Amino acid sequence: MRSTMMDTPLQVSRLLDHGRTVHGSSEVITWTAEGARRTSYAEVGADAARLAHALRDDLGITGDERIGTLMWNNAEHLIAYLAVPSMGAVLHTLNLRLFPEQLIYIVNHAEDRVILVDSTLIPLLAGVLPHLSRLRHIVVVGGGDSAPLEVASGGGIAIHRWEELLRGKPDRFGWPSIDERDAAALCYTSGTTGNPKGVAYSHRSIYLHSMQVCSVEAFGLGPASKVLAVVPMFHAMAWGLPYASFLSGASLVMPDRFLQAAPLAAMIASQRPTLAGAVPTIWTDLLAHLDANPTDVSSMREVVVGGSACPPALMHAFSERHGVEIIHAWGMTEMSPLGSVSRPPAGLAGAEAWAYRYTQGRLPASVEGRIVGPDGSVMPNDGKSVGELEVRGPWITQGYIGDAEPDPEKFRDGWLRTGDVGVLSADGYLSLSDRAKDVIKSGGEWISSVELENALMAHPAVLEACVVGVPDERWGERPLATVVLREGSSATPAELRDFLAATVAHWQLPERWAFIDAVPKTSVGKFDKKRVRAQYADGSLALSSI
Ligand code: AMP
């Protein structure tokens, strides 16, 4: 028997129409050098219609042509997020921290026709422009000299100004009906080897994912929420926060390019967000700043931390010293990106609740997970059996753009192989020990680099610690600990080793140590372990003897 239910497509334009009308007085607040700039969702909706008119009528965009954005988190980027998919075109968010060759690769691979660029990023775009073969138009957002673009394009690319393009355009657009399975947005993820790989989110996946982000088991968003979206809109769709905010009426605070601890603290103190999201390194810096410059950050009900394992010491410090609860979450670009969120089971408190909060969290109904052993066999969800996590669900990609067949390294029997190693418990909680490629194999036994890092970062003198496996004649591999000390603090390798010995098995204790100024970071702010291994290999790390 077929159901009697309507089959209305799930479309980004629904999120847009709903947000601009029902939540028209909610706001996106963009940080600038002069302070906060406010735009209501009603205005965002009107500008989204104007942008769609400009793209179609002035720039001739039709069908599913790709529109790139080289932008910080700001109101105009939100307008593009909504307008481009709603008109049937495909949004391609460009990671402005990629190496130029990678940026060129992804723009050409996606065949971007237009790039919207923040004027502060003109030099970056001008540098790669001569290599962008399919690009026809650039739209500059904000004031600033666009001459470098004109010079670099050699006249072959039309350069427009956002303000001029939108001026006088109608504030309504007849959004087309779109197959909900068609692409709405693209994001490329840069693996450790080879070219970046593209994922195409559909209207349906974005819609369903947005509902999940709003849910109480995830971020619990509603009209009274104010979300500080530090996670960049060019990384995994800013965890779905822009769309989820438009759906739920949550207001957004957008830091633009002001991502350092001092302006973030100022933003929090003046705009009083109720929730924030970013990778651990941002919160590590902010914590050091707050400890030195007391600021009232208690408006934040919760801070969602993901993208890398969140050190328990960071969670405790925020909770105990600043009254802010860190919620640990896990996801991937390939998963739109939300997977699990760590909310303890009801009724638990104290140490029992903390033990759950350290985990990567519980998978929601729409994300099925399984743990697979090295021989490909599915292992029990018993909280003990360690293997690679595989996932499937309606907002998880089944392949990469342009691949004839799903890459068997990344996909198996309709499941995505996450490359993350850990366990699932019977009650659905995920605990990751490491990335498969970062686990250290010493004398046939596994050492979790993340466990060593978390233990080290609990030492009061340690700001950041990054542990990698390095070749060892006797054991195959051994851990190398690279440590950034807090300003004004000191510690010796022997002291740190003794400190680790309280919680870590003796045979896992590193014998190689290096004190460094900063841990190298990837384009999305994670520890760049590949670079640390390379620095060790080429002898550029100064090792401290124990
Ligand atoms: P990306 O696609 O750049 O967001 O990277 C996804 C990867 O980041 C995952 O496969 C994990 O290895 C890592 N990751 C994300 N969140 C967490 C977390 N909470 N704990 C540990 N690793 C994480």
Side-chain angles (χ1 to χ4, degrees), residues 57 80 138 141 155 172 201 245 268 292 305 353 367 378 404 435 452 475 488 494 500 503 533:
D57 305 340
I138 293 173
V141 184
R172 297 273 159 188
Y201 308 113
S245 296
I268 296 167
V305 175
V367 178
V378 177
R435 293 282 297 157
L452 291 178
W475 301 105
L500 280 186
T503 48
R533 279 189 283 260

Side-chain angles (χ1 to χ4, degrees), residues 12 54 71 74 108 117 137 155 194 203 256 260 270 273 290 353 377 379 396 409 424 455 457 511:
V12 171
M71 301 173 81
N74 51 38
N108 287 338
V117 61
H137 299 273
H203 285 259
D256 201 86
Q260 308 72 21
S270 68
L290 294 176
S377 63
M379 306 175 88
I396 300 174
E409 292 272 300
L424 273 170
M457 286 193 266
E511 38 296 293

Side-chain angles (χ1 to χ4, degrees), residues 13-202:
S13 57
R14 257 324 285 153
L15 303 181
L16 168 53
D17 283 340
H18 181 75
R20 78 176 284 188
T21 51
V22 175
H23 301 303
S25 59
S26 296
E27 295 179 306
V28 50
I29 299 156
T30 306
W31 201 252
T32 71
E34 289 81 44
R37 169 165 72 89
R38 317 181 88 86
T39 319
S40 72
Y41 281 6
E43 291 168 86
V44 167
D47 272 350
R50 293 186 184 108
L51 177 61
H53 278 288
L55 290 172
R56 189 189 64 186
D57 305 340
D58 297 1
L59 274 54
I61 293 303
T62 57
D64 61 358
E65 287 185 302
R66 265 71 73 198
I67 314 291
T69 54
L70 193 61
M71 301 173 81
W72 300 103
N73 288 16
N74 51 38
E76 288 73 19
H77 208 170
L78 178 66
I79 292 164
Y81 253 56
L82 292 159
V84 172
S86 293
M87 68 184 284
V90 181
L91 179 83
H92 178 196
T93 57
L94 302 169
N95 182 340
L96 53 92
R97 296 211 177 87
L98 289 181
F99 291 114
E101 312 80 69
Q102 291 182 318
L103 196 54
I104 293 166
Y105 174 84
I106 66 173
V107 171
N108 287 338
H109 192 258
E111 302 181 1
D112 293 344
R113 304 292 281 178
V114 180
I115 290 182
L116 313 180
V117 61
D118 276 336
S119 57
T120 50
L121 298 167
I122 286 176
L124 173 64
L125 182 56
V128 296
L129 204 50
H131 308 281
L132 307 182
S133 51
R134 305 292 290 262
L135 195 68
R136 294 291 168 268
H137 299 273
I138 293 173
V139 180
V140 176
V141 184
D145 183 13
S146 62
L149 293 175
E150 275 131 36
V151 173
S153 78
I157 294 174
I159 319 253
H160 313 264
R161 289 274 172 183
W162 171 280
E163 297 262 311
E164 287 163 24
L165 216 48
L166 268 61
R167 191 172 302 137
K169 294 284 186 302
D171 63 3
R172 297 273 159 188
F173 190 97
W175 304 119
S177 178
I178 296 166
D179 183 332
E180 64 176 19
R181 287 171 183 77
D182 280 349
L186 312 181
C187 191
Y188 280 70
T189 171
S190 39
T192 44
T193 50
N195 287 321
K197 296 178 171 29
V199 171
Y201 308 113
S202 65

Side-chain angles (χ1 to χ4, degrees), residues 431-472:
S431 299
L432 294 180
S433 38
D434 222 329
R435 293 282 297 157
K437 60 181 171 38
D438 294 332
V439 185
I440 301 159
K441 197 162 194 198
S442 172
E445 297 290 333
W446 297 104
I447 301 175
S448 157
S449 64
V450 174
E451 202 180 301
L452 291 178
E453 287 164 0
N454 284 346
L456 271 172
M457 286 193 266
H459 190 283
V462 176
L463 181 68
E464 282 183 330
C466 172
V467 175
V468 297
V470 295
D472 182 271

Side-chain angles (χ1 to χ4, degrees), residues 376-411:
S377 63
V378 177
M379 306 175 88
N381 293 354
D382 56 6
K384 293 196 293 270
S385 305
V386 180
E388 182 181 3
L389 174 70
E390 298 188 353
V391 289
R392 67 177 180 194
W395 56 76
I396 300 174
T397 195
Q398 51 187 323
Y400 294 112
I401 299 169
D403 283 0
E405 291 291 327
D407 175 358
E409 292 272 300
K410 293 293 295 182
F411 301 92

Side-chain angles (χ1 to χ4, degrees), residues 189 235-236 239 305-310 328-334 337 360 418-420 432 435 524 526:
T189 171
H235 178 213
W239 298 353
V305 175
S308 303
C310 182
H328 196 192
W330 165 85
M332 299 175 75
T333 302
E334 287 86 340
Q360 271 69 19
T418 64
D420 290 326
L432 294 180
R435 293 282 297 157
V524 291
K526 305 183 190 195

Side-chain angles (χ1 to χ4, degrees), residues 129-374:
L129 204 50
H131 308 281
L132 307 182
S133 51
R134 305 292 290 262
L135 195 68
R136 294 291 168 268
H137 299 273
I138 293 173
V139 180
V140 176
V141 184
D145 183 13
S146 62
L149 293 175
E150 275 131 36
V151 173
S153 78
I157 294 174
I159 319 253
H160 313 264
R161 289 274 172 183
W162 171 280
E163 297 262 311
E164 287 163 24
L165 216 48
L166 268 61
R167 191 172 302 137
K169 294 284 186 302
D171 63 3
R172 297 273 159 188
F173 190 97
W175 304 119
S177 178
I178 296 166
D179 183 332
E180 64 176 19
R181 287 171 183 77
D182 280 349
L186 312 181
C187 191
Y188 280 70
T189 171
S190 39
T192 44
T193 50
N195 287 321
K197 296 178 171 29
V199 171
Y201 308 113
S202 65
H203 285 259
R204 173 184 157 83
S205 69
I206 287 177
Y207 202 105
L208 294 173
H209 181 263
S210 303
M211 292 172 70
Q212 180 65 28
V213 170
C214 294
S215 72
V216 175
E217 76 172 326
F219 303 166
L221 299 186
S225 314
K226 205 183 229 189
V227 180
L228 172 61
V230 185
V231 51
M233 293 171 83
F234 57 73
H235 178 213
M237 307 302 283
W239 298 353
L241 292 170
Y243 290 129
S245 296
F246 234 73
L247 174 65
S248 64
S251 286
L252 280 162
V253 182
M254 298 293 210
D256 201 86
R257 61 187 195 279
F258 303 96
L259 296 167
Q260 308 72 21
L264 285 178
M267 257 172 256
I268 296 167
S270 68
Q271 304 307 315
R272 303 195 58 74
T274 59
L275 186 118
V279 291
T281 47
I282 294 272
W283 302 114
T284 304
D285 287 351
L286 187 63
L287 179 68
H289 177 86
L290 294 176
D291 286 346
N293 308 275
T295 309
D296 180 10
V297 293
S298 63
S299 66
M300 290 195 292
R301 179 175 50 83
E302 290 175 343
V303 158
V304 183
V305 175
S308 303
C310 182
L314 187 67
M315 294 181 156
H316 282 282
F318 262 102
S319 175
E320 285 146 26
R321 301 214 287 275
H322 299 284
V324 171
E325 300 307 318
I326 284 187
I327 308 293
H328 196 192
W330 165 85
M332 299 175 75
T333 302
E334 287 86 340
M335 303 176 66
S336 294
L338 191 61
S340 54
V341 181
S342 75
R343 297 188 178 280
L348 293 190
E352 276 187 314
W354 274 107
Y356 276 98
R357 292 182 53 188
Y358 300 152
T359 73
Q360 271 69 19
R362 190 143 49 176
L363 294 175
S366 302
V367 178
E368 267 181 280
R370 65 180 191 183
I371 298 291
V372 177

